[in-house]
Amino acid sequence: NAGVTQTPKFQVLKTGQSMTLQCAQDMNHNSMYWYRQDPGMGLRLIYYSASEGTTDKGEVPNGYNVSRLNKREFSLRLESAAPSQTSVYFCASRTSDTQYFGPGTRLTVL
Amino acid sequence: GEDVEQSLFLSVREGDSSVINCTYTDSSSTYLYWYKQEPGAGLQLLTYIFSNMDMKQDQRLTVLLNKKDKHLSLRIADTQTGDSAIYFCAESMGNTDKLIFGTGTRLQVFP
């Protein structure tokens, strides 16, 4: 049981490039989340998915898109990366009362 | 709006108790959480408390909830160097399954 996994662990992009961050969970959870973590700001919710086939915006959705491919996988896409998107990105999934987090993807946009 | 506040830093001597404080704003929060983040790692759930409880104890960890003042604290007894990390408080948003996180408290334990 791997829990929540994320790929890649690290990524460097140039401004304007695109990429997709992958997340998968093997706990059969319905709800999944994408957060970004910036110094002094805690974690902020980008998008979430309450169930397969549904997605909703969180606090900071601009510049991102998501896909809930199936129950296991929830991907985050940056279509045209900007330096302001330099951050650490965490995926999470949820049981009835608790969220479990992946190890994070550290993204730098030059 | 929703806001969760924590002090940024706490420094304690090894063997002493640590108390990390948090204030939140959503009185309809169902659960309140404490997460630990070690350098370069993800968030690890430490403990959580249901909003109708005042206290929860789990080994060296004690969570106190003052619902009237919307104040949550995490006490770590016999603090060890391995407890050095960032600790995040989080509240659930009403009846939704979204969490609002505080900015985190960096705990430094010195010998």
Side-chain angles (χ1 to χ4, degrees):
Chain A
N1 196 339
V4 181
T5 57
Q6 292 182 236
T7 56
K9 283 189 167 52
F10 301 94
Q11 183 71 50
V12 179
L13 294 176
K14 293 181 181 176
T15 297
Q17 287 185 313
S18 62
M19 80 159 295
T20 300
L21 282 65
Q22 307 287 352
C23 173
Q25 51 94 7
D26 61 1
M27 297 176 281
N28 203 36
H29 292 164
N30 285 321
S31 297
M32 297 184 72
Y33 307 80
W34 276 105
Y35 293 89
R36 60 178 288 173
Q37 183 180 26
D38 301 294
M41 300 189 75
L43 275 77
R44 293 181 293 169
L45 182 64
I46 305 171
Y47 270 95
Y48 69 103
S49 170
S51 62
E52 184 180 351
T54 68
T55 61
D56 286 286
K57 293 178 181 179
E59 187 183 353
V60 288
N62 291 345
Y64 304 95
N65 285 301
V66 289
S67 296
R68 184 72 183 270
L69 304 169
N70 46 56
K71 195 170 187 181
R72 288 188 65 249
E73 298 171 294
F74 188 37
S75 62
L76 178 72
R77 183 158 177 85
L78 286 71
E79 289 291 351
S80 178
S84 62
Q85 294 178 304
T86 293
S87 189
V88 181
Y89 291 85
F90 288 101
C91 176
S93 68
R94 182 179 183 269
T95 63
S96 57
D97 54 17
T98 308
Q99 287 193 15
Y100 294 93
F101 284 79
T105 295
R106 189 172 295 272
L107 175 67
T108 301
V109 183
L110 302 175
Chain B
E2 301 83 12
D3 200 11
V4 179
E5 295 187 352
Q6 302 177 238
S7 54
L8 289 179
F9 298 102
L10 177 65
S11 183
V12 299
R13 188 179 299 277
E14 191 174 15
D16 287 351
S17 293
S18 307
V19 179
I20 303 171
N21 295 302
C22 169
T23 58
Y24 62 97
T25 56
D26 188 351
S27 58
S28 63
S29 292
T30 309
Y31 293 97
L32 295 124
Y33 302 84
W34 285 105
Y35 284 87
K36 177 184 180 182
Q37 185 181 34
E38 297 182 7
L43 273 72
Q44 172 196 353
L45 178 68
L46 279 181
T47 186
Y48 64 96
I49 188 168
F50 191 53
S51 58
N52 67 354
M53 297 170 65
D54 297 324
M55 186 182 86
K56 180 178 180 180
Q57 187 152 5
D58 183 1
Q59 299 183 336
R60 291 190 299 123
L61 304 179
T62 303
V63 178
L64 294 177
L65 175 61
N66 180 330
K67 203 170 180 183
K68 174 177 169 290
D69 294 338
K70 298 190 185 69
H71 183 266
L72 182 74
S73 67
L74 174 69
R75 179 176 179 272
I76 306 172
D78 187 24
T79 312
Q80 303 297 307
T81 54
D83 295 324
S84 293
I86 301 176
Y87 291 80
F88 290 94
C89 166
E91 63 169 338
S92 60
M93 284 179 60
N95 291 323
T96 74
D97 56 2
K98 292 190 283 188
L99 295 184
I100 299 294
F101 284 84
T103 53
T105 299
R106 183 179 296 275
L107 174 65
Q108 183 177 9
V109 183
F110 58 94

